[in-house]
Structures are given as C-alpha cells and as structure tokens.
Amino acid sequence: MSTESAQAPASTAEAPWPVRTVARKIGDWIHRLGAVWVEGQVTQVNSRPNTQTAFLTLRDPSADVSMSVTCPNWLIREMEPPLREGASVVVHAKPSYFFGRGTISLRADQIRAVGIGELLARIERLKKLLTAEGLFSAQRKRPIPFLPKGVGLITGRASAAERDVLANAQGRWPHVRIKVLNTAVQGSQAVPQVMRALRIFDADPEIDVIVIARGGGSVEDLLPFSDEALCRAVSAAGTPVVSAIGHEPDTPLLDYVADLRCSTPTDAGKRIVPDLREETERVRQMRDRGRRALHGWVDTQARLLNQIRSRPSLADPLGPVQRRQDDVDVHRERARRAMLTLLAKDQAEIASARARLTALGPAATLARGYAVVQFVDAEGNLQVLRSVSEVEAGAQLRVRVGDGAIKAVAEGEQE
C-alpha cells in the first residue's frame, strides 16, 4: 500500500476521497488476492499477431455472468487445437485491477481446454444429480396435445432443422400454426437465447407445445443442450416441451428432461401433429364400422320384432280372448243345464214326497168325508180316537171334519 493511501484520513461528506485514492485502495485490495482456477466458456477471442497481449471473454454457461481475461499472446498461439469461441476452458489466473479505467480482469498464465472425456464426465455427473432430483422421472412428463392449436419452434436461423420441422409438420397437417424464434444453437449465447425463447413461448396462451430443434454436431456443439440451467427451465415450464436435438445417437440431457424426445427434427415434425390423410382414413373407417354396427343392430332388432310379432298372442290378439269367451259360454251353458237338471230332480222328489205325504196324511181322508176325533186321556194327553170304546164316560172330544173345522162334542153325545 502506498504512503498516500496509508495516510489518507477517513472520508466524510466534508472531506471526501478523490477518485484516484478510491481506485488505488481498491487496486491494493484486489492485488492481494491470490491466483485461482476458473472454468468457463470462451465467448470472444482477440489475439492479434503483432501484439503481446491477447484478450478473452470468459462466460459462465449457467448464468449471465462474464469476465475479461488477458494473457500473453503466445499462450493462445501454442494451444492445440486452436482456441475458438464456444470452447470450454479452465484458466489459471490472478485478479488484476486497471487503475486508469477502474476495471477488473483476470491475468491468465495457463489455459487448458476441457477435453471431450472431461465434458462427458461432467455431463454424466450432472445427469446423476438431475436424476436424483427427479427431473427425469416419467411421472413429470406431460402428454403432448393430439392437435395443438399452436406450436412454438426454437431453432437456429435458416437451419436444416427448421426446414425439416416445418416441412414435415405442415405436410402432415397443413393448417398447423407454427411460431418460430431463431436463436443461437451453439456457443456461449445458445443457452440464454434458448431460455429467453422458452419463456416467451411458455407465456403465450396460443402455444400448446414447444419444440427445441437442432441438427447434428460434435459433443462441444451440443453442449448447450446439456446445460443445467436450461434443463431446469424446461422442467419448470408449464407447456409441454419436445426435444429434437442432433441425430439418433445424440442424447443431450435435454432429451431426458423434455416431455417428449424425438430422434431428429424430422421425427419431431411427424410427432407433434397428426397426419391429415391418416386421420381422415381413420375417421372414414370408424364411420364405416359405426354404420355397419348400426345396420347390424337394426337388422337384429327387426328380426326380433318380427319374431315377436309372429307369435300367436300378437299375430291374433283377439283369438285367445274369443276362444276363452267360447269356453266361458260352454261352461256357463253346462252349468245352467246341470243346475236345471238338479232343480228338476229336486222338484220331482219334492212332488213325490208331497204325493206320499198327501196320501199318508189325514187331509185326504178328511177330504173324503171322514173325521178325526181326539180326546184327552186321564193323564191329560191328547189322543186320536180309533174306537168309541176307548172313550171314557164324561170325556171331552174334539172332532176335525173334512173342511178343517173343529167341533166340540158334549160328554156322552154322539154326532
């Protein structure tokens, strides 16, 4: 620390520090920091042949943060393969403060390119982490709408992937509505641009499915689609996301977290919308099946109705009633004749009993001029007189003549 900085009094509103003092104090504090290893993605390389210093911009692929890096020019020239934008590197550098501009940068003395093996190992570690968190779980997958009213396509500008998706989707369903947002699909700007496009489509109520498409490429080219921030953004999206990255062997982490993984952009164009010809044929077949089923049902019911109508109870509904009425008439006539026969028999028996009773009763005898004489015996009972000798002297007699009159005969008097 310089003498001026060490002896500077505390700053106040009445006695503020000049800019040079503040800059020098900040520089002194930063210069005391030690060297660090920093990993990032190179977004800009400025290495001119006639200069001693090269300038780089190092960016964090998971956040919108970048820093400037300076290094000797020979360090860039000796790198094999040559350093290019989008490459992932590990830099050994010491923070440096530029007093005149008041900026901070990293002064690098070593730059190491991250090899494919290391990239794959990091992707595998991230894959295990996201798997443990459940981002790849099948239960989180949302179904793709059968016929989306709007499709959001995120892909590179004028790319083959864009043409493949549009051509196949519109060829299958000509009326599909596809909105396209062109973004970088490799390099340092790919992740933030794809995430920004994803947020725009996710907030659009007319978009039912989002497609992220890119053609094939190397592991480094497809590295943005294994970015942790992008994977988490896709998992948190409310709209189903389709991943169509690279070719069949390419499997970035986006394929695992997306709701549907398509092997190629062409495959995505075929799977996000149905085929109009196939659906028209399917509708025709289902209509024919429905017509045949309905006709079969109608024919079956018609046969059953004819069978029911051919039954005697429905073919001649009055016939059974008439036959039952005839039976009733027959039985009623039989009952009447039986009753008359019974009455005639009973009347004959009554007449015969009456004749016998008349013949045996005293009325007939009386009608012929005879009389019935009764007397009271000694015990006071009324007896029929059969002989005059039966009458005691002084007995009272009662005589019944033919007309039914009763005459009393005096004692000892004979009439």
Side-chain angles (χ1 to χ4, degrees), residues 6 34 36 50 65 92 96 138 152 166 181 193 238 259 266 268 287 300 304 323-324 330-331 352 358 377 382 387 398:
V36 292
N50 298 325
V65 178
H92 185 264
S96 177
L166 294 178
L181 286 179
Q193 291 185 15
D259 299 289
T266 300
R287 184 180 297 164
T300 301
L304 291 175
R323 287 192 293 273
R324 294 298 179 268
V330 170
H331 289 296
S352 175
T358 301
D377 60 9
L382 189 63
S387 174
R398 292 182 179 180

Side-chain angles (χ1 to χ4, degrees), residues 313-339:
S313 58
L314 293 181
D316 184 17
L318 297 180
V321 177
Q322 186 64 43
R323 287 192 293 273
R324 294 298 179 268
Q325 184 177 359
D326 295 342
D327 293 342
V328 171
D329 293 341
V330 170
H331 289 296
R332 185 172 57 189
E333 182 62 27
R334 288 179 181 176
R336 189 182 66 81
R337 290 198 299 268
M339 183 61 68

Side-chain angles (χ1 to χ4, degrees), residues 340-356:
L340 292 177
T341 301
L342 181 60
L343 290 176
K345 179 181 177 182
D346 291 343
Q347 288 176 352
E349 290 180 355
I350 291 173
S352 175
R354 180 181 295 169
R356 290 196 302 273

Side-chain angles (χ1 to χ4, degrees), residues 275-291:
D275 190 296
L276 179 60
R277 292 181 294 271
E278 292 180 359
E279 297 305 320
T280 302
E281 179 63 20
R282 184 176 291 111
V283 169
R284 187 191 64 79
Q285 293 176 359
M286 295 179 66
R287 184 180 297 164
D288 292 342
R289 289 173 56 187
R291 184 183 298 108

Side-chain angles (χ1 to χ4, degrees), residues 5-75:
S5 300
Q7 296 176 352
S11 64
T12 63
E14 290 73 17
W17 286 347
V19 175
R20 64 181 181 278
T21 302
V22 176
R24 188 173 293 108
K25 286 180 175 291
I26 294 174
D28 292 341
W29 182 82
I30 290 177
H31 290 156
R32 289 199 302 269
L33 299 176
V36 292
W37 287 97
V38 183
E39 179 185 0
Q41 191 176 38
V42 177
T43 60
Q44 185 178 4
V45 180
N46 188 357
S47 175
R48 298 179 180 179
N50 298 325
T51 59
Q52 298 295 323
T53 304
F55 299 91
L56 309 175
T57 300
L58 202 62
R59 176 186 173 275
D60 189 333
S62 298
D64 192 11
V65 178
S66 61
M67 290 193 68
S68 297
V69 179
T70 60
C71 66
N73 207 349
W74 60 265
L75 193 61

Side-chain angles (χ1 to χ4, degrees), residues 149-184:
K149 60 183 179 182
V151 178
L153 176 59
I154 302 174
T155 187
R157 184 181 302 277
S159 62
E162 179 180 356
R163 293 192 299 271
D164 290 344
V165 173
L166 294 178
N168 284 276
Q170 294 173 348
R172 290 170 62 85
W173 196 271
H175 301 290
V176 62
R177 298 174 57 190
I178 301 180
K179 295 182 180 180
V180 181
L181 286 179
N182 295 120
T183 65

